Amino acid sequence: MDEITNPFSPGAGSRPPALAGREEILHQAHVLLERVKQGRPEKSILLTGLRGVGKTVLLNAIERMAVDTGYHTLAIEGREDQPLAPLIAQYLRKVLIALYPAPGVGEKTRQALAVLGSFISTFSVSVGEVGLKMDIAAARGRADSGNLEIDLQELLVAAAEAAAEHHKAIAIFIDEVQYFSASELSAILAAMHKIQQLELPLVLVGAGLPTLPAMAGDAKSYAERLISFPEIGPLSAMDTAKALRDPALAEGIAFDDHSLEEIFKLTSGYPYFVQEWGSEAWVQAVSSPISLNVIQQCTPRVIARLDRNFFRVRYDRLTPGEKNFLRAMAECRRSPIRTGDLAELLKVRVSTLGPLRSKLINKGMIYSPAHGELAYSVPLFGDFMKRVMPKLARTEN
Ligand SMILES: Nc1ncnc2c1ncn2[C@@H]1O[C@H](COP(=O)(O)OP(=O)(O)O)[C@@H](O)[C@H]1O
Ligand SMILES: [Mg+2]
């Protein structure tokens, strides 16, 4: 088919032509946005799931919803070794400046800018002299303790009060939340706790790996009363079919049932892989409907591409010992995998696996769904490990 009209969009955060199977979570977000705008308390949302399940595109969809609902939004993304304070200050500055020139601007907005000015100098953020430029001096004694937990809370409360003054609301979107440190996460939760108690119009919608609920629970014991952690998983067979069928049909092309079943079987419904197969099928097909035969021709090409890109970038960051650990996980039949089973396979004691296990968790390759259990954070990674390392080595290094 014509590559120019190819509707499929494999890629990180690429908006899918059809956002299949996410109606429930979009509804939950709609309720959250409406309630908070009306000053009613509601739990914030942190989406959790493996890489490539569609957290970022959902976050973006919820942000568009927030904008349509009249929210001022700011979207930040966690990265390894990037502190939270400058990120939040830079984006909040834009929001407050957007509020500032409104007619009848009141004292709260002025104060919020003053608090931001002091937060910025406390955390040495270089975003220009916000306060001076606006002829507003930094607020002494506010958001300047140097303790992020106290200062972020003051900053967000001041910003939310400014929004309330204009009958507006603020929505903060944070992607890759797991990259923030425990103290940063703690500060975010404490600020949201305060905002909720004061019933101020500020919501938080975040996304991250499945370790997030545990991280948040460790940071603050009240996390689960403050936040809901919907799990974003693979699509059902029906939703996978919809994700493929609807965008193709919009271009006048059909998939036959066997081809749809085959893609579901190969991808287990993981959205990123669904887009990859959809895209390749589109390129290879010469007539409609797209048949099983076309999908079978596509499969080796898609797998080779995934192995080269999606999987390989992760694999290349591993030491031999880590590779072997991950390869051994692919041998375990039970899911989730137990550390004990792995030790048995590798013929080592459970305790010797500890350091490798924590290195792999730090690299974001695996996570622990429950005590003593392990899982890959990338879907279908076990199959890749078997392709790239046909045999399991039994030595440790
Ligand atoms: N609900 C969905 N239906 C179809 N495709 C989707 C869906 N959600 C995500 N995708 C596709 O999956 C890929 C990964 O999405 P992304 O949001 O980057 O995942 P994550 O942030 O969880 O790693 C993108 O190519 C996107 O187009
Ligand atoms: Mg993402």
Side-chain angles (χ1 to χ4, degrees):
M1 300 295 157
D2 183 357
E3 287 185 55
I4 311 243
T5 55
N6 187 345
F8 297 103
S9 58
S14 314
R15 188 174 177 175
L19 187 61
R22 305 301 190 211
E23 296 77 13
E24 207 174 305
I25 175 73
L26 287 172
H27 176 72
Q28 187 184 344
H30 169 73
V31 171
L32 166 67
L33 292 169
E34 289 293 343
R35 282 182 61 86
V36 169
K37 206 172 78 171
Q38 293 177 18
R40 297 172 197 272
E42 189 55 73
K43 283 184 177 178
S44 294
I45 296 177
L46 287 185
L47 311 168
T48 65
L50 305 183
R51 302 237 170 251
V53 287
K55 300 178 298 298
T56 299
V57 299
L58 253 180
L59 215 53
N60 293 342
I62 299 172
E63 187 182 0
R64 284 192 297 277
M65 195 192 276
V67 170
D68 292 344
T69 317
Y71 273 78
H72 284 276
T73 65
L74 57 130
I76 64 183
E77 185 187 317
R79 298 223 181 95
E80 258 164 316
D81 304 325
Q82 183 153 27
L84 172 70
L87 275 175
I88 204 132
Q90 284 163 7
Y91 287 96
L92 205 55
R93 171 177 181 264
K94 288 190 185 174
V95 168
L96 291 176
I97 288 175
L99 281 172
Y100 189 68
V105 59
E107 194 44 33
K108 296 289 186 193
T109 307
R110 203 164 241 288
Q111 270 176 27
L113 280 160
V115 172
L116 178 65
S118 98
F119 184 90
I120 283 172
S121 52
T122 306
F123 292 94
S124 331
V125 181
S126 61
V127 289
E129 298 287 317
V130 182
L132 294 181
K133 214 191 271 170
M134 317 270 327
D135 200 23
I136 295 172
R140 272 193 165 221
R142 297 194 60 189
D144 61 1
S145 72
N147 176 333
L148 184 68
E149 184 150 336
I150 296 169
D151 296 346
L152 184 69
Q153 180 172 315
E154 254 189 299
L155 177 64
L156 293 188
V157 167
E161 283 176 344
E165 180 176 55
H166 295 281
H167 308 289
K168 288 273 186 185
I170 296 175
I172 300 182
F173 294 86
I174 309 184
D175 202 356
E176 307 281 4
V177 175
Q178 76 282 348
Y179 283 129
F180 291 113
S181 67
S183 60
E184 289 169 329
L185 191 57
S186 199
I188 296 173
L189 295 171
M192 290 312 298
H193 197 202
K194 191 75 188 169
I195 299 259
Q196 217 191 51
Q197 285 162 26
L198 298 173
E199 298 185 351
L200 286 168
L202 188 146
V203 293
L204 170 72
V205 185
L209 292 180
T211 35
L212 218 48
M215 278 175 74
D218 287 346
K220 289 283 177 232
S221 58
Y222 52 73
E224 68 187 80
R225 274 167 285 150
L226 186 68
I227 291 178
S228 119
F229 296 97
E231 283 174 34
I232 310 302
L235 304 175
S236 65
M238 242 169 65
D239 289 326
T240 301
K242 185 177 152 63
L244 292 160
R245 200 194 289 123
D246 291 2
L249 271 185
E251 300 291 335
I253 305 298
F255 278 92
D256 76 13
D257 288 347
H258 298 298
S259 70
L260 293 172
E261 281 160 21
E262 178 74 0
I263 296 183
F264 180 69
K265 205 176 83 194
L266 292 162
T267 61
S268 306
Y270 277 100
Y272 173 67
F273 301 130
V274 171
Q275 296 296 330
E276 282 282 7
W277 258 275
S279 177
E280 186 66 26
W282 184 274
V283 171
Q284 295 303 324
V286 287
S287 62
S288 176
I290 296 173
S291 65
L292 175 62
N293 191 22
V294 171
I295 307 303
Q296 286 169 339
Q297 280 169 20
C298 290
T299 296
R301 300 172 68 103
V302 178
I303 289 183
R305 188 160 63 235
L306 289 172
D307 284 2
R308 263 195 325 271
N309 305 315
F310 187 75
F311 293 125
R312 192 88 210 183
V313 287
R314 298 186 159 86
Y315 182 81
D316 286 346
R317 295 165 58 209
L318 304 169
T319 65
E322 291 167 354
K323 286 176 184 166
N324 210 38
F325 186 109
L326 293 172
R327 176 62 182 81
M329 281 175 68
E331 289 298 314
C332 295
R333 295 202 171 273
R334 266 192 293 176
S335 172
I337 295 159
R338 305 204 61 87
T339 321
D341 298 347
L342 208 57
E344 214 170 280
L345 262 170
L346 289 164
K347 301 207 186 321
V348 294
R349 265 185 285 153
V350 173
S351 58
T352 39
L353 291 180
L356 276 178
R357 179 180 172 278
S358 44
K359 277 192 201 134
L360 287 166
I361 289 178
N362 284 339
K363 286 186 177 177
M365 296 302 303
I366 58 172
Y367 70 103
S368 174
H371 186 71
E373 293 179 357
L374 288 177
Y376 295 115
S377 53
V378 180
L380 310 182
F381 201 78
D383 297 342
F384 166 73
M385 286 308 301
K386 285 184 175 168
R387 288 195 292 273
V388 74
M389 283 174 73
K391 282 225 170 70
L392 172 66
R394 284 177 200 271
T395 49
E396 276 289 288
N397 36 2

